[in-house]
Amino acid sequence: MEALETRELRYFMVVAEELHFGRAAERLGMAQPPLSRAIQQLERRLGVSLLVRNRRGVSLTGAGDVLLHEGRAALDATTAAARRTRRAGGADTPGGARDRLVLAVKAAASHDLLRKLLHAYAAEPDAGEIEVLPSGMCEQEEMLRDGRADVALMHAPFNSLAGFDSEELLTEGQIAILPAGHPLAAHETLSLADVSDIPDLPLARWPRRGVYTPGPGPEIHDQTQLAQLIALGRTAAVFPDSARAWLWAEHAAVPVTDAPPVVTHIAWPAHSRSLTLAGLVRTATRL
């Protein structure tokens, strides 16, 4: 059996996400008939049916569902290889950046740890260039998988470390971030039950792989938006204790005693052979 081609895998992924050949063709910028033929050819080569087509529309077969998940990882790996290769090519170009790593971090999270890491690593004799790439809520994992980042500060249990190598750097408790004038802000401690069902202050929601969890709270796109909405008395959030670094005067932080601890890891692709990355990890584990 011939290997899968990146082009046909991308075609299938778009059809599987849209479950509609017309919309998929529009996204891909092509006509529908050649897209249908490409999918049929892929099914013949694999020897399985990937899609069920009937009057009610398009749905995935069991085999199609497997290819959707496996294919996403394969396309991420291909994209990551291209991005990291281009970055590595800078060291081969006269005047290009040498040994550059992209470090993904959640905006305003682990601020003190990040500052100490960058300062300590810069003092190493063979230190490379570190580009800090702030990410949105829970985006570091995706950025590491698709090659936008070479290494990331990840936070368990919020980020998945599956498929990565990692080292633990910091364990901390969690706090409820509330409007300063809210009655709960006067408490010395709170429980998860206290903050999970506040009638006038629903918890904020942020996406995981582009999908928001259901609930009455506002959909959050970035940390600045979250800070503004909390200050206005429109929402609350539960964050690691290190989030105190970005709180405004209009915010209050109250420890949540039964929230699970948050463990900050430095994580990187398991197959990495970068000596610069190895040096950064060694520095991080000595902090």
Side-chain angles (χ1 to χ4, degrees):
M1 186 182 68
E2 297 178 17
L4 286 171
E5 296 180 2
T6 302
R7 175 184 57 83
E8 63 186 3
L9 185 55
R10 185 172 67 253
Y11 287 177
F12 169 76
M13 295 293 293
V14 175
V15 173
E17 290 168 356
E18 295 289 345
L19 293 178
H20 190 282
F21 275 89
R23 291 194 299 269
E26 185 176 351
R27 265 181 63 182
L28 290 164
M30 63 187 298
Q32 183 173 333
L35 175 59
S36 296
R37 288 194 296 270
I39 299 300
Q40 290 168 357
Q41 181 180 354
L42 175 61
E43 290 177 316
R44 285 195 297 270
R45 290 208 299 108
L46 292 176
V48 296
S49 295
L50 300 171
L51 301 167
V52 177
R53 308 159 179 84
N54 54 40
R55 294 178 182 177
R56 291 174 293 181
V58 178
S59 60
L60 290 172
T61 64
D65 188 59
V66 169
L67 186 57
L68 173 62
H69 291 87
E70 297 285 348
R72 182 177 289 117
L75 288 178
D76 280 350
T78 300
T79 302
R83 285 171 168 159
R84 292 186 177 119
T85 298
R86 283 194 292 268
R87 280 200 291 276
D92 302 325
T93 305
R98 291 186 56 79
D99 301 323
R100 181 167 68 94
L101 292 177
V102 176
L103 170 61
V105 298
K106 185 165 70 175
S110 304
H111 176 76
D112 287 341
L113 176 64
L114 176 61
R115 178 180 52 79
K116 292 176 182 176
L117 172 58
L118 295 176
H119 180 75
Y121 181 67
E124 294 292 324
D126 298 322
E129 178 186 343
I130 304 297
E131 177 185 340
V132 177
L133 183 61
S135 71
M137 305 293 184
C138 301
E139 287 183 348
Q140 308 99 298
E141 175 190 346
E142 185 178 346
M143 297 169 90
L144 200 53
R145 293 192 193 282
D146 67 16
R148 282 176 289 169
D150 302 296
V151 59
L153 293 184
M154 311 263 272
H155 308 279
F158 306 115
N159 298 127
S160 171
L161 296 166
F164 301 126
D165 284 342
S166 65
E167 292 282 352
E168 292 186 14
L169 302 182
L170 174 70
T171 299
E172 58 186 320
Q174 297 198 63
I175 55 173
I177 306 176
L178 308 162
H182 194 277
L184 288 180
H187 289 223
E188 290 188 4
T189 62
L190 294 169
S191 68
L192 285 173
D194 291 331
V195 299
S196 62
D197 188 24
I198 309 173
D200 58 337
L201 208 63
L203 286 174
R205 297 179 294 132
W206 39 84
R208 293 180 182 269
R209 286 195 170 270
V211 178
Y212 283 90
T213 55
E219 296 181 352
I220 301 300
H221 307 289
D222 56 51
Q223 180 260 330
T224 301
Q225 179 197 24
L226 175 63
Q228 178 102 45
L229 290 176
I230 294 175
L232 292 172
R234 300 302 179 90
T235 191
V238 177
F239 262 63
D241 190 77
S242 55
R244 294 177 187 269
W246 58 261
L247 296 188
W248 299 358
E250 297 89 347
H251 298 153
V254 182
V256 181
T257 55
D258 59 347
V262 176
V263 183
T264 300
H265 298 251
I266 186 168
W268 63 96
H271 60 270
S272 176
R273 300 174 62 185
S274 168
L275 296 178
T276 305
L277 174 57
L280 179 67
V281 172
R282 282 196 302 271
T283 301
T285 57
R286 289 198 298 261
L287 294 178

